[in-house]
Amino acid sequence: MTDAVGSIDMPDAEDEAPESKKKTRKGGKRAKKGPLGRLALFYRQIVAELRKVVWPTRNQLTTYTTVVIIFVVIMIGLVTGIDFGFQEAVAYVFG
């Protein structure tokens, strides 16, 4: 009995790969090189990943830096105000 794809009893040839034709991987690139070779490979991979990064333009970088500096100044003011308030409260209670 067959269906639209093929025989139900006989599996496709792609599904059955003989064990002798399968390639086993033994360590890949790392197995062939010593510690210095692995270190060089590591740095080459770092450089390759950094090339994929989308770096901000000068205008974007200026905008981001300005936003961060303004946020930090606001947080410094907030923490200073809270600290001054606690200082006055402690001075009132204990002084």
Side-chain angles (χ1 to χ4, degrees):
M1 174 171 235
T2 62
D3 57 2
V5 176
S7 173
I8 294 174
D9 297 329
M10 296 294 296
D12 293 337
E14 296 173 345
D15 294 340
E16 287 186 6
E19 293 295 324
S20 62
K21 291 187 179 183
K22 288 185 180 179
K23 292 183 180 179
T24 58
R25 194 170 160 195
K26 294 186 178 182
K29 293 180 181 179
R30 282 191 254 163
K32 298 176 186 175
K33 300 179 181 180
L36 291 178
R38 289 191 303 232
L39 188 62
L41 174 65
F42 176 69
Y43 283 115
R44 280 196 305 270
Q45 289 173 345
I46 289 174
V47 170
E49 288 298 321
L50 286 175
R51 286 186 180 145
K52 295 177 188 178
V53 173
V54 178
W55 297 100
T57 63
R58 183 176 292 273
N59 191 18
Q60 289 172 331
L61 190 62
T62 304
T63 303
Y64 297 156
T65 304
T66 304
V67 167
V68 168
I69 289 173
I70 290 171
F71 176 76
V72 168
V73 167
I74 290 171
M75 292 307 294
I76 287 172
L78 187 72
V79 170
T80 302
I82 292 172
D83 184 50
F84 183 73
F86 281 133
Q87 177 184 350
E88 291 298 317
V90 168
Y92 178 76
V93 170
F94 296 109

